[in-house]
Amino acid sequence: MLNIETVDKQTRELIESIIAIGLEFGVSIFGAITLLIVGTMIAGWVRRGTRHGLNRIPRIDETLKPFLAKLAWYAVMVFVLVAVLNQFGVQTASIIAVLGAAGLAIGLALQGTLANVASGVMLLMLRPFNVDDYVDAGGIAGTVVEIGLFNTEIKTNNGLCLIVPNSKIWDSPITNFSRNLTRRFDIQVGIGYGDDVEGALIFLESLLDEDDRVLKEPERLVKVWELGDSAIIINLRGWTNSSEYWDAVWDLNKLIVISLQAAGYSIPFPQRDIHIISNPA
């Protein structure tokens, strides 16, 4: 039979072991909870600070600001969770290695999508074009409707909606027709070799002077461009506001044709002279 003193001793040792384990885990749990609370507060501060700092940068799009702020919050929370696991004696090095391997595998599987996201971030930060700009990117021309993280929506001239991956736009030369406030036009018209060239130059320059949409500076030019096979080609060069470019060009084309015909100038068609030599025999 067990001695009462022996039972009491074993009970005391068991109670002491439980108390020791409880104290050890209690400290770990208290430290983990403290780290989690403090880390969450710090992550919130970092998120708000990032958003506040981004608001001071006008070039960054509103779509990108909450994304970057949330990304900063996730980065802090990852470190907090690793520190919490470390409180319980978990080998965080192996966890970090596993997470890194998983991230690499996910990155390889989604490399096309991640490329679109990276290109979207670059488009939103560097701003080669804005919404409502008319652009030509990689042979795709139209008015920009929306710039997203994954793709860009473009409306073509004939009213079609194109959803273009950001990586295709970012990897191609981008022509922004709306970025500059002014734009140059060149209109070429042909007159006959029998017409008065000097008079035609003065007459065409007066047509540019009469159009208020043609800017005074930079200087407009009306010069003989080429001596063609069937006509003398005259080039009219001027500058206009980008918003008025097409209306000005279309109206000037119409005005030039009507005015030259009314003034008696010929606008010749391509022609050939054929000489027939008869055989005396």
Side-chain angles (χ1 to χ4, degrees), residues 186-188 247-258:
D186 286 274
I187 300 176
Q188 295 180 355
D247 289 335
V249 170
W250 291 333
D251 292 343
L252 282 172
N253 279 328
K254 178 181 178 181
L255 178 64
I256 288 169
V257 172
I258 295 175

Side-chain angles (χ1 to χ4, degrees), residues 113-238:
T113 302
L114 295 178
N116 287 329
V117 173
S119 300
V121 171
M122 298 302 293
L123 289 174
L124 291 170
M125 292 184 64
L126 299 181
R127 282 298 186 181
F129 52 78
N130 297 311
V131 174
D132 294 331
D133 284 355
Y134 186 86
V135 300
D136 186 330
I140 300 173
T143 303
V144 179
V145 177
E146 181 181 357
I147 307 171
L149 285 177
F150 296 94
N151 48 57
T152 298
E153 181 178 344
I154 294 178
K155 182 180 180 182
T156 63
N157 290 333
N158 54 353
L160 297 179
C161 176
L162 296 181
I163 306 298
V164 187
N166 286 331
S167 58
K168 179 176 178 59
I169 296 177
W170 182 250
D171 293 338
S172 303
I174 300 173
T175 303
N176 190 335
F177 294 93
S178 305
R179 172 63 61 87
N180 296 331
L181 297 178
T182 59
R183 185 175 172 185
R184 194 188 80 186
F185 64 82
D186 286 274
I187 300 176
Q188 295 180 355
V189 60
I191 62 173
Y193 275 95
D195 293 329
D196 180 10
V197 177
E198 288 294 339
L201 294 175
I202 298 173
F203 179 74
L204 291 173
E205 188 169 359
S206 67
L207 296 181
L208 295 182
D209 292 335
E210 294 172 0
D211 196 322
D212 295 334
R213 292 168 298 186
V214 181
L215 303 177
K216 304 300 181 183
E217 294 291 338
E219 182 183 3
R220 63 197 67 176
L221 295 174
V222 179
K223 301 291 183 181
V224 175
W225 178 262
E226 181 184 2
L227 300 179
D229 294 334
S230 306
I232 298 174
I233 308 300
I234 297 177
N235 186 72
L236 293 81
R237 172 173 295 178

Side-chain angles (χ1 to χ4, degrees), residues 78-79 81-83 85 90-103:
V78 167
F79 286 105
L81 292 177
V82 171
L85 293 175
V90 178
Q91 295 296 326
T92 55
S94 58
I95 295 177
I96 294 174
V98 171
L99 291 176

Side-chain angles (χ1 to χ4, degrees), residues 46-57 69:
V46 170
R47 182 179 180 179
R48 290 190 294 271
T50 303
R51 185 62 184 269
H52 181 69
L54 293 175
N55 287 333
R56 295 184 175 182
I57 305 177

Side-chain angles (χ1 to χ4, degrees), residues 43-84:
W45 293 338
V46 170
R47 182 179 180 179
R48 290 190 294 271
T50 303
R51 185 62 184 269
H52 181 69
L54 293 175
N55 287 333
R56 295 184 175 182
I57 305 177
R59 289 180 60 86
I60 297 182
D61 189 78
E62 292 296 330
T63 308
L64 188 60
K65 293 177 182 179
F67 172 77
L68 294 178
K70 192 70 174 180
L71 193 64
W73 185 87
Y74 278 122
V76 175
M77 289 304 300
V78 167
F79 286 105
V80 171
L81 292 177
V82 171
V84 169

